[in-house]
Amino acid sequence: MQVLTGATPVEEFRAFVETAKDPLHRMAYLLCGDSHRADELTQATFERTWRAWSSARDGDPLAYARRILANLRIDTWRRNRREVLTGEDGPERSVGSDPAVAVADRDAVVRALLQLPVKQRRVVVLRHLLDLSEAEVATELGIPLGTVKSTASRALDRLRTILTDHPEGAPE
């Protein structure tokens, strides 16, 4: 994402929010599995990004905001430690011919993601759901490239096991 040149910082940030709100909300939803909590994480991300806008705009503001969002999610996880999904809501999208199947599939994947450790979940979301390269994920999370590769491999194996053994994404 490019920052507008010649615009005031407020105009730049408004333009950034317009382009980044959907990708950040998707990432937040995939990390926490709850639409309302994703809204809160996205809002907190924008707040922190605005406070550091002079630094964020110098590089890639979206990468800066994604890192803030991932760290906010970790902070939330550390505070709560135990989470329970109570609803089956999420970003509404009709994919394919049967929306009910698409919703059930998405729900199963989100529930399976929530069973992964936070580090594995972050790598899978950034690498496979946001389509970042392994190098970009390593940079964004501040971990070595080899760690990204091994973590992604273990996480995908675990996801396959969860989704094969329990197609609904939740253990019985």
Side-chain angles (χ1 to χ4, degrees):
M1 190 217 136
Q2 293 293 352
V3 175
L4 299 173
T5 53
T8 67
V10 172
E11 292 168 341
E12 290 174 350
F13 188 72
R14 281 187 185 148
F16 166 71
V17 168
E18 283 302 312
T19 59
K21 66 183 174 186
D22 290 336
L24 288 175
H25 188 270
R26 261 191 313 277
M27 179 181 170
Y29 178 75
L30 291 169
L31 287 174
C32 68
D34 179 0
S35 181
H36 299 291
R37 195 171 291 162
D39 290 339
E40 292 170 5
L41 280 171
T42 305
Q43 183 63 34
T45 298
F46 284 133
E47 178 187 339
R48 288 196 182 178
T49 304
W50 169 246
R51 284 191 270 160
W53 184 244
S54 60
S55 299
R57 68 184 296 278
D58 290 340
D60 181 1
L62 185 57
Y64 193 93
R66 283 194 305 249
R67 188 167 205 165
I68 289 173
L69 190 139
N71 288 334
L72 282 170
R73 179 63 188 129
I74 288 174
D75 292 345
T76 302
W77 175 79
R78 285 180 181 148
R79 279 192 303 271
N80 296 337
R81 289 286 180 191
R82 201 81 179 140
E83 296 180 346
V84 177
L85 278 182
T86 58
E88 296 184 9
D89 61 339
E92 281 76 27
R93 275 202 288 192
S94 176
V95 179
S97 60
D98 188 359
V101 171
V103 169
D105 289 347
R106 183 191 67 226
D107 185 59
V109 169
V110 169
R111 288 179 184 271
L113 277 170
L114 290 172
Q115 293 181 43
L116 295 178
V118 175
K119 184 177 181 181
Q120 289 182 358
R121 189 179 327 153
R122 288 172 68 194
V123 169
V124 168
V125 167
L126 291 172
R127 176 74 180 103
H128 298 285
L129 299 174
L130 297 179
D131 292 326
L132 296 182
S133 70
E134 291 168 336
E136 290 171 322
V137 173
T139 301
E140 195 146 321
L141 297 179
I143 58 177
L145 183 61
T147 302
V148 170
K149 291 177 181 183
S150 62
T151 301
S153 175
R154 282 193 297 276
L156 291 175
D157 284 344
R158 178 73 179 126
L159 283 173
R160 281 185 202 100
T161 301
I162 292 168
L163 291 171
T164 302
D165 294 346
H166 309 286
E168 299 81 35
E172 295 176 12

